[in-house]
Amino acid sequence: MIDCAVYRDGRREESGRTTGELQQALAGLGTDDFLWIGVNHPSTDEITRIGGVLGLHPLAIEDALESHQRPKIERYRDHLVVSMRMVSYRDDDITTHEINLYLGDHYLLTVRRGGPSLAGARRRAEGMIDTLAHGPTAALYVVVDAIVDHYEEVAVELEIDVQEVETSVFSPERTSDSTRIYRLKREALEFRRAVAPLREPVARFAATAEPAEVRLYFRDISDHLGRAAEAIDTVDHLLDNALTAHLAQLSVQQNEDMRKLTAGATIFAIPTAIAGIYGMNFEHMPELDWTYGYPLSLAFMGGLCLYVYRRFKRSGWL
């Protein structure tokens, strides 16, 4: 447990972190007060004890213990579970970390498994006293909003890298971009898995969240999720187009190489053919008696090769 505090009228009051102190804090909450608990990498025993104090459903506790949960919003009788993934992007690599948020009438529990700290989101919430006075749902909004806003930042960084790939693909220099394109497509898929499953449940929650004053905030989150999902779709389409263009460029380059090889082979075939005729060693060959036959034959071969070379050069084969 890395942080625990009681919020009365939107203002923080420190709270103890033992099981007994949590029970006392819950018992002393007023109608509009709530408890905000932050946990990182909890052990089975710790999350079980906290879940017992908060009255969490056994399946909700199981979600906190098992990694690789699909992003979702799950409703239980007296609490709500929001499973999300925090996303970070660096050097063409998407990294995701799971976070489970447990919302009750008088508490918000955040369970992280690594990833960026939520201390900044908590400080931001504590600066929004009027908003935080709406209860734990307002605190949930601040955390989810911080995670979703980072989705959009990652989407922008991904689009910048895709633009770099497009520039490289259409550059006059020969490049090998297929490996990076496939890697970016894989990372875009991982990003989609974090964002896409949340769109529908967040939209539903935005229509039913209590108190009604916070619904507008969750509609804003739903809109940001939609923008992030659209950005992922755009990146995926651009990568498909870049891969198609790259393969087409490779085909064009291979055709140019084959034309150059064919032209070169044709030029060298001319002296090879003439030399082959002279190498047949027939006795009755008039050219053999010519004093200048050898230099004339060399000059003829060179002139003919030069003529063919110029014709290929004009036609763009060389």
Side-chain angles (χ1 to χ4, degrees):
M1 190 181 302
I2 57 176
D3 201 352
C4 182
V6 173
Y7 292 85
R8 304 183 191 277
D9 296 324
R11 291 178 171 82
R12 177 186 178 109
E13 294 181 7
E14 294 295 336
S15 174
R17 303 183 183 183
T18 66
T19 302
E21 289 171 326
L22 287 180
Q23 290 175 330
Q24 292 177 2
L26 284 172
L29 293 177
T31 305
D32 298 324
D33 303 338
F34 70 95
L35 185 66
W36 187 347
I37 308 167
V39 182
N40 186 24
H41 278 301
S43 64
T44 301
D45 179 65
E46 185 175 17
I47 195 62
T48 301
R49 285 189 288 105
I50 295 174
V53 172
L54 299 178
L56 299 180
H57 193 280
L59 292 178
I61 297 176
E62 185 178 317
D63 286 343
L65 296 173
E66 293 184 359
S67 57
H68 306 297
Q69 291 287 331
R70 186 175 186 270
K72 63 180 180 179
I73 296 181
E74 191 79 29
R75 288 185 180 273
Y76 293 93
R77 182 175 58 85
D78 57 354
H79 58 279
L80 181 82
V81 180
V82 181
S83 293
M84 301 182 67
R85 292 182 185 177
M86 294 188 289
V87 177
S88 56
Y89 180 66
R90 185 177 182 182
D91 298 330
D92 294 350
D93 184 47
I94 292 276
T95 304
T96 61
H97 298 275
E98 230 174 88
I99 177 170
N100 292 296
L101 310 170
Y102 298 83
L103 176 68
D105 292 336
H106 295 286
Y107 64 84
L108 175 66
L109 168 65
T110 63
V111 181
R112 285 193 298 122
R113 293 197 171 277
S117 172
L118 295 176
R122 187 185 284 255
R123 287 194 298 271
R124 176 191 168 202
E126 290 171 355
M128 303 164 58
I129 296 176
D130 292 339
T131 301
L132 210 58
H134 292 304
T137 308
L140 175 68
Y141 153 72
V142 175
V143 175
V144 175
D145 184 60
I147 296 173
V148 172
D149 282 348
H150 194 58
Y151 288 168
E152 292 191 277
E153 295 173 6
V154 170
V156 170
E157 294 175 4
L158 197 57
E159 288 177 342
I160 292 173
D161 284 348
V162 171
Q163 290 173 2
E164 292 178 358
V165 169
E166 289 179 319
T167 302
S168 178
V169 166
F170 292 104
S171 68
E173 300 178 359
R174 293 199 174 192
T175 58
S176 179
D177 299 304
S178 56
T179 301
R180 190 180 186 193
I181 292 173
Y182 277 117
R183 184 167 65 247
L184 288 173
K185 281 185 68 66
R186 185 183 66 243
E187 300 310 314
L189 177 61
E190 183 69 20
F191 193 13
R192 188 194 301 275
R193 289 173 179 165
V195 175
L198 282 174
R199 295 187 65 182
E200 184 179 346
V202 168
R204 289 200 306 266
F205 183 72
T208 60
E210 294 295 339
E213 290 83 353
V214 302
R215 294 176 185 176
L216 179 63
Y217 296 106
F218 282 95
R219 286 200 294 271
D220 180 64
I221 290 178
S222 181
D223 181 58
H224 289 187
L225 274 174
R227 291 207 300 264
E230 290 171 1
I232 296 171
D233 290 338
T234 300
V235 164
D236 193 51
H237 288 313
L238 289 175
L239 287 173
D240 285 337
N241 294 338
L243 180 59
T244 301
H246 178 61
L247 296 177
Q249 290 279 74
L250 289 178
S251 179
V252 170
Q253 292 170 359
Q254 290 173 351
N255 288 338
E256 291 178 354
D257 292 341
M258 288 301 298
R259 287 195 303 177
K260 292 178 180 180
L261 290 173
T262 302
T266 303
I267 293 173
F268 281 102
I270 295 171
T272 301
I274 297 174
I277 293 174
Y278 270 88
M280 289 189 289
N281 297 322
F282 288 112
E283 293 182 2
H284 304 290
M285 295 182 68
E287 298 87 350
L288 295 177
D289 296 329
W290 292 358
T291 302
Y292 301 103
Y294 181 69
L296 285 174
S297 62
L298 289 179
F300 176 72
M301 286 189 288
L304 192 56
C305 290
L306 180 61
Y307 170 75
V308 174
Y309 171 80
R310 294 183 65 181
R311 290 296 300 270
F312 278 131
K313 195 72 173 178
R314 288 178 180 177
S315 64
W317 280 52
L318 286 174

mmCIF file of all heavy atoms in Angstrom, residues 37-60:
data_model
loop_
_atom_site.group_PDB
_atom_site.id
_atom_site.type_symbol
_atom_site.label_atom_id
_atom_site.label_comp_id
_atom_site.label_asym_id
_atom_site.label_seq_id
_atom_site.Cartn_x
_atom_site.Cartn_y
_atom_site.Cartn_z
ATOM 1 N N ILE A 37 -7.409 4.557 -1.650
ATOM 2 C CA ILE A 37 -6.277 3.684 -1.335
ATOM 3 C C ILE A 37 -5.513 3.379 -2.616
ATOM 4 O O ILE A 37 -6.116 3.021 -3.635
ATOM 5 C CB ILE A 37 -6.767 2.358 -0.708
ATOM 6 C CG1 ILE A 37 -7.708 2.643 0.466
ATOM 7 C CG2 ILE A 37 -5.595 1.491 -0.269
ATOM 8 C CD1 ILE A 37 -8.482 1.426 0.930
ATOM 9 N N GLY A 38 -4.197 3.506 -2.568
ATOM 10 C CA GLY A 38 -3.352 3.174 -3.709
ATOM 11 C C GLY A 38 -2.430 2.017 -3.375
ATOM 12 O O GLY A 38 -1.727 2.050 -2.359
ATOM 13 N N VAL A 39 -2.449 0.989 -4.222
ATOM 14 C CA VAL A 39 -1.646 -0.220 -3.989
ATOM 15 C C VAL A 39 -0.861 -0.528 -5.255
ATOM 16 O O VAL A 39 -1.388 -0.415 -6.368
ATOM 17 C CB VAL A 39 -2.543 -1.430 -3.618
ATOM 18 C CG1 VAL A 39 -1.698 -2.662 -3.342
ATOM 19 C CG2 VAL A 39 -3.414 -1.096 -2.425
ATOM 20 N N ASN A 40 0.397 -0.933 -5.092
ATOM 21 C CA ASN A 40 1.243 -1.309 -6.222
ATOM 22 C C ASN A 40 1.858 -2.679 -5.952
ATOM 23 O O ASN A 40 2.435 -2.909 -4.892
ATOM 24 C CB ASN A 40 2.350 -0.269 -6.435
ATOM 25 C CG ASN A 40 3.172 -0.555 -7.686
ATOM 26 O OD1 ASN A 40 2.698 -1.207 -8.611
ATOM 27 N ND2 ASN A 40 4.402 -0.077 -7.705
ATOM 28 N N HIS A 41 1.721 -3.586 -6.909
ATOM 29 C CA HIS A 41 2.265 -4.944 -6.800
ATOM 30 C C HIS A 41 1.890 -5.606 -5.468
ATOM 31 O O HIS A 41 2.760 -6.017 -4.693
ATOM 32 C CB HIS A 41 3.788 -4.937 -6.955
ATOM 33 C CG HIS A 41 4.235 -4.902 -8.388
ATOM 34 N ND1 HIS A 41 3.885 -5.877 -9.301
ATOM 35 C CD2 HIS A 41 5.008 -4.016 -9.052
ATOM 36 C CE1 HIS A 41 4.432 -5.591 -10.478
ATOM 37 N NE2 HIS A 41 5.099 -4.462 -10.364
ATOM 38 N N PRO A 42 0.598 -5.721 -5.175
ATOM 39 C CA PRO A 42 0.226 -6.319 -3.883
ATOM 40 C C PRO A 42 0.447 -7.830 -3.873
ATOM 41 O O PRO A 42 0.357 -8.500 -4.895
ATOM 42 C CB PRO A 42 -1.262 -5.981 -3.776
ATOM 43 C CG PRO A 42 -1.730 -5.964 -5.202
ATOM 44 C CD PRO A 42 -0.586 -5.393 -5.992
ATOM 45 N N SER A 43 0.723 -8.351 -2.695
ATOM 46 C CA SER A 43 0.786 -9.804 -2.526
ATOM 47 C C SER A 43 -0.643 -10.348 -2.400
ATOM 48 O O SER A 43 -1.605 -9.591 -2.201
ATOM 49 C CB SER A 43 1.585 -10.158 -1.279
ATOM 50 O OG SER A 43 0.910 -9.661 -0.122
ATOM 51 N N THR A 44 -0.771 -11.644 -2.526
ATOM 52 C CA THR A 44 -2.094 -12.268 -2.408
ATOM 53 C C THR A 44 -2.701 -11.977 -1.037
ATOM 54 O O THR A 44 -3.883 -11.642 -0.913
ATOM 55 C CB THR A 44 -1.989 -13.787 -2.627
ATOM 56 O OG1 THR A 44 -1.451 -14.027 -3.923
ATOM 57 C CG2 THR A 44 -3.353 -14.449 -2.510
ATOM 58 N N ASP A 45 -1.865 -12.077 0.011
ATOM 59 C CA ASP A 45 -2.365 -11.851 1.364
ATOM 60 C C ASP A 45 -2.813 -10.397 1.546
ATOM 61 O O ASP A 45 -3.868 -10.136 2.138
ATOM 62 C CB ASP A 45 -1.263 -12.196 2.376
ATOM 63 C CG ASP A 45 -1.703 -11.968 3.804
ATOM 64 O OD1 ASP A 45 -2.630 -12.670 4.259
ATOM 65 O OD2 ASP A 45 -1.140 -11.061 4.459
ATOM 66 N N GLU A 46 -2.040 -9.462 1.017
ATOM 67 C CA GLU A 46 -2.373 -8.047 1.205
ATOM 68 C C GLU A 46 -3.664 -7.669 0.501
ATOM 69 O O GLU A 46 -4.538 -7.020 1.093
ATOM 70 C CB GLU A 46 -1.226 -7.165 0.694
ATOM 71 C CG GLU A 46 -1.454 -5.679 0.957
ATOM 72 C CD GLU A 46 -0.264 -4.830 0.567
ATOM 73 O OE1 GLU A 46 0.598 -5.329 -0.189
ATOM 74 O OE2 GLU A 46 -0.205 -3.673 1.011
ATOM 75 N N ILE A 47 -3.815 -8.066 -0.770
ATOM 76 C CA ILE A 47 -5.027 -7.686 -1.493
ATOM 77 C C ILE A 47 -6.245 -8.408 -0.928
ATOM 78 O O ILE A 47 -7.363 -7.881 -0.950
ATOM 79 C CB ILE A 47 -4.871 -7.961 -3.011
ATOM 80 C CG1 ILE A 47 -5.959 -7.228 -3.797
ATOM 81 C CG2 ILE A 47 -4.897 -9.449 -3.308
ATOM 82 C CD1 ILE A 47 -5.921 -5.744 -3.677
ATOM 83 N N THR A 48 -6.042 -9.609 -0.379
ATOM 84 C CA THR A 48 -7.157 -10.334 0.250
ATOM 85 C C THR A 48 -7.621 -9.617 1.512
ATOM 86 O O THR A 48 -8.830 -9.486 1.767
ATOM 87 C CB THR A 48 -6.739 -11.780 0.569
ATOM 88 O OG1 THR A 48 -6.347 -12.440 -0.642
ATOM 89 C CG2 THR A 48 -7.891 -12.542 1.198
ATOM 90 N N ARG A 49 -6.655 -9.132 2.296
ATOM 91 C CA ARG A 49 -7.018 -8.410 3.520
ATOM 92 C C ARG A 49 -7.735 -7.095 3.191
ATOM 93 O O ARG A 49 -8.749 -6.754 3.802
ATOM 94 C CB ARG A 49 -5.769 -8.133 4.357
ATOM 95 C CG ARG A 49 -5.244 -9.355 5.090
ATOM 96 C CD ARG A 49 -4.137 -9.013 6.077
ATOM 97 N NE ARG A 49 -2.886 -8.663 5.395
ATOM 98 C CZ ARG A 49 -2.422 -7.421 5.288
ATOM 99 N NH1 ARG A 49 -3.112 -6.410 5.787
ATOM 100 N NH2 ARG A 49 -1.289 -7.167 4.673
ATOM 101 N N ILE A 50 -7.195 -6.347 2.221
ATOM 102 C CA ILE A 50 -7.835 -5.082 1.839
ATOM 103 C C ILE A 50 -9.221 -5.345 1.261
ATOM 104 O O ILE A 50 -10.192 -4.634 1.571
ATOM 105 C CB ILE A 50 -6.957 -4.322 0.825
ATOM 106 C CG1 ILE A 50 -5.638 -3.912 1.465
ATOM 107 C CG2 ILE A 50 -7.692 -3.087 0.295
ATOM 108 C CD1 ILE A 50 -4.647 -3.294 0.502
ATOM 109 N N GLY A 51 -9.319 -6.385 0.405
ATOM 110 C CA GLY A 51 -10.618 -6.731 -0.171
ATOM 111 C C GLY A 51 -11.623 -7.139 0.884
ATOM 112 O O GLY A 51 -12.815 -6.834 0.766
ATOM 113 N N GLY A 52 -11.137 -7.811 1.941
ATOM 114 C CA GLY A 52 -12.040 -8.196 3.028
ATOM 115 C C GLY A 52 -12.568 -6.979 3.775
ATOM 116 O O GLY A 52 -13.759 -6.916 4.135
ATOM 117 N N VAL A 53 -11.705 -5.997 4.006
ATOM 118 C CA VAL A 53 -12.137 -4.776 4.707
ATOM 119 C C VAL A 53 -13.154 -4.009 3.869
ATOM 120 O O VAL A 53 -14.158 -3.505 4.394
ATOM 121 C CB VAL A 53 -10.916 -3.880 5.008
ATOM 122 C CG1 VAL A 53 -11.373 -2.526 5.543
ATOM 123 C CG2 VAL A 53 -9.995 -4.562 6.010
ATOM 124 N N LEU A 54 -12.931 -3.945 2.541
ATOM 125 C CA LEU A 54 -13.820 -3.174 1.664
ATOM 126 C C LEU A 54 -15.049 -3.974 1.231
ATOM 127 O O LEU A 54 -15.977 -3.393 0.647
ATOM 128 C CB LEU A 54 -13.054 -2.711 0.422
ATOM 129 C CG LEU A 54 -11.843 -1.801 0.677
ATOM 130 C CD1 LEU A 54 -11.164 -1.457 -0.641
ATOM 131 C CD2 LEU A 54 -12.259 -0.528 1.414
ATOM 132 N N GLY A 55 -15.057 -5.269 1.506
ATOM 133 C CA GLY A 55 -16.195 -6.093 1.104
ATOM 134 C C GLY A 55 -16.222 -6.396 -0.383
ATOM 135 O O GLY A 55 -17.303 -6.482 -0.978
ATOM 136 N N LEU A 56 -15.047 -6.575 -0.994
ATOM 137 C CA LEU A 56 -14.982 -6.849 -2.424
ATOM 138 C C LEU A 56 -15.411 -8.276 -2.723
ATOM 139 O O LEU A 56 -15.182 -9.198 -1.932
ATOM 140 C CB LEU A 56 -13.557 -6.630 -2.949
ATOM 141 C CG LEU A 56 -12.966 -5.227 -2.810
ATOM 142 C CD1 LEU A 56 -11.555 -5.193 -3.389
ATOM 143 C CD2 LEU A 56 -13.850 -4.193 -3.506
ATOM 144 N N HIS A 57 -16.015 -8.463 -3.876
ATOM 145 C CA HIS A 57 -16.419 -9.791 -4.321
ATOM 146 C C HIS A 57 -15.168 -10.634 -4.588
ATOM 147 O O HIS A 57 -14.150 -10.109 -5.059
ATOM 148 C CB HIS A 57 -17.259 -9.670 -5.592
ATOM 149 C CG HIS A 57 -17.978 -10.920 -5.964
ATOM 150 N ND1 HIS A 57 -17.368 -11.980 -6.620
ATOM 151 C CD2 HIS A 57 -19.269 -11.299 -5.771
ATOM 152 C CE1 HIS A 57 -18.233 -12.943 -6.829
ATOM 153 N NE2 HIS A 57 -19.402 -12.563 -6.322
ATOM 154 N N PRO A 58 -15.212 -11.953 -4.279
ATOM 155 C CA PRO A 58 -14.036 -12.812 -4.526
ATOM 156 C C PRO A 58 -13.538 -12.745 -5.972
ATOM 157 O O PRO A 58 -12.326 -12.796 -6.217
ATOM 158 C CB PRO A 58 -14.545 -14.209 -4.178
ATOM 159 C CG PRO A 58 -15.632 -13.974 -3.181
ATOM 160 C CD PRO A 58 -16.282 -12.692 -3.592
ATOM 161 N N LEU A 59 -14.455 -12.634 -6.931
ATOM 162 C CA LEU A 59 -14.024 -12.543 -8.332
ATOM 163 C C LEU A 59 -13.312 -11.214 -8.606
ATOM 164 O O LEU A 59 -12.409 -11.149 -9.441
ATOM 165 C CB LEU A 59 -15.226 -12.696 -9.270
ATOM 166 C CG LEU A 59 -15.887 -14.075 -9.299
ATOM 167 C CD1 LEU A 59 -17.097 -14.066 -10.224
ATOM 168 C CD2 LEU A 59 -14.888 -15.134 -9.756
ATOM 169 N N ALA A 60 -13.730 -10.165 -7.907
ATOM 170 C CA ALA A 60 -13.059 -8.869 -8.061
ATOM 171 C C ALA A 60 -11.643 -8.937 -7.508
ATOM 172 O O ALA A 60 -10.704 -8.376 -8.090
ATOM 173 C CB ALA A 60 -13.859 -7.778 -7.357
#
